[in-house]
Amino acid sequence: MRRYLFVDDNLEFAENLVEIAGDHGCDCEMAASGAEGIRKVARTRFDAIVTDMRMPGMGGAVLVREIRRVDPGLPAVVLTAHAGDAALEAARSEGLLAVLGKPAPIDRLLTLLGAARRDGLVAVLEDDPALLDNLTEALRTRGFAAVTAGSVLDTDRLAPVRPFAALADLRLPGGPDGEAIRRLGVKFPGIPFVTVTAFPAAAPAGSRAIFGKPFDTAALLDVVERIHAERMTSP
């Protein structure tokens, strides 16, 4: 049975989500504040957390960051009625599974939660916004969350999260070919990376796989699945 935590200062809203998820066979708890949510995460292993973005005291962005210190592998979904909230970018930098509007689209939320994978964060380095969106959405369908960078400098600015793998374009603005991959390897030593490039012959040594653009998305996701399975079965 999967176990979820819902964090929202609107208890009526949280209770409604808990009841719906419970009707689908899930074991759910709720917290009325970020601080209470952190205490519950510290003592219980959840499969995912769903938090409101705007709450008194500790908002959703700060909550996700603090939870990363307690349980780095916990998938997080943020709900918000304010799509333009500046704090959303801070939350996304922590590697969210999704950001959904309020009122929550129940079917979409339950599908995301059912697929969510612990320790399922992927770093995606890509400067084409459309391709980046497609990759992150494709990952999401398999239960993987993403942190993203569109340049060499963005790679340096990635938050102190724990991705288990990276999908990396060979050529990103701000440095020579492969520089973003090199810096990512320094930031996350030993991280397996898959190179996605229009120049496959120039891909760096050490790539777990190389996909020339355009590529087969399903095959790319299969490689990510294998890397994740290896991590989950390693001592």
Side-chain angles (χ1 to χ4, degrees), residues 1-6 21-22 25-29 46:
M1 179 182 294
R2 291 176 69 83
R3 180 175 294 164
Y4 307 130
L5 175 64
F6 294 88
C26 305
D27 182 12
C28 303
E29 295 187 29
F46 293 99

Side-chain angles (χ1 to χ4, degrees), residues 11-233:
L11 291 180
E12 183 177 353
F13 179 78
E15 287 171 351
N16 185 47
L17 291 180
V18 166
E19 181 177 351
I20 292 171
D23 288 344
H24 284 76
C26 305
D27 182 12
C28 303
E29 295 187 29
M30 63 182 186
S33 68
E36 183 183 359
I38 290 172
R39 289 194 296 271
K40 292 198 170 190
V41 169
R43 66 173 183 257
T44 303
R45 181 180 172 88
F46 293 99
D47 292 295
I49 181 174
V50 179
T51 179
D52 189 16
M53 188 65 198
R54 290 190 178 182
M55 297 182 289
M58 184 186 300
V62 176
L63 172 61
V64 172
R65 184 176 69 243
E66 292 302 313
I67 280 176
R68 289 285 180 261
R69 303 176 190 272
V70 179
D71 186 353
L74 182 62
V77 176
V78 165
L79 303 180
T80 180
H82 309 277
D85 196 325
L88 274 176
E89 284 309 310
R92 286 192 177 99
S93 72
E94 299 294 335
L96 299 178
L97 183 61
V99 175
L100 300 179
K102 275 188 164 183
I106 298 300
D107 289 344
R108 172 69 167 154
L109 177 60
L110 291 175
T111 297
L112 285 167
L113 292 178
R117 298 172 187 256
R118 290 187 57 85
D119 298 303
L121 184 61
V122 181
V124 183
L125 313 184
E126 174 57 59
D127 64 322
D128 181 332
L131 179 55
L132 181 61
D133 286 346
N134 289 339
L135 282 172
T136 54
E137 179 58 29
L139 288 166
R140 193 176 293 123
T141 63
R142 301 277 186 109
F144 298 114
V147 287
T148 63
S151 69
V152 172
L153 183 59
D154 286 347
T155 304
D156 288 338
R157 291 174 174 170
L158 285 174
V161 291
R162 298 185 188 178
F164 74 90
L167 305 180
D169 192 348
L170 178 67
R171 183 169 293 179
L172 289 185
D177 288 359
E179 180 62 16
I181 295 173
R182 187 191 69 79
R183 296 194 187 190
L184 190 77
V186 172
K187 194 175 187 71
F188 305 112
I191 185 171
F193 64 92
V194 176
T195 303
V196 179
T197 178
F199 311 95
S207 299
R208 284 292 301 268
I210 302 168
F211 285 83
K213 295 180 178 179
F215 53 85
D216 182 335
T217 301
L220 177 65
L221 293 176
D222 287 344
V223 173
V224 175
E225 294 260 17
R226 288 197 295 273
I227 296 172
H228 187 259
E230 290 169 7
R231 169 173 179 142
M232 299 307 288
T233 56

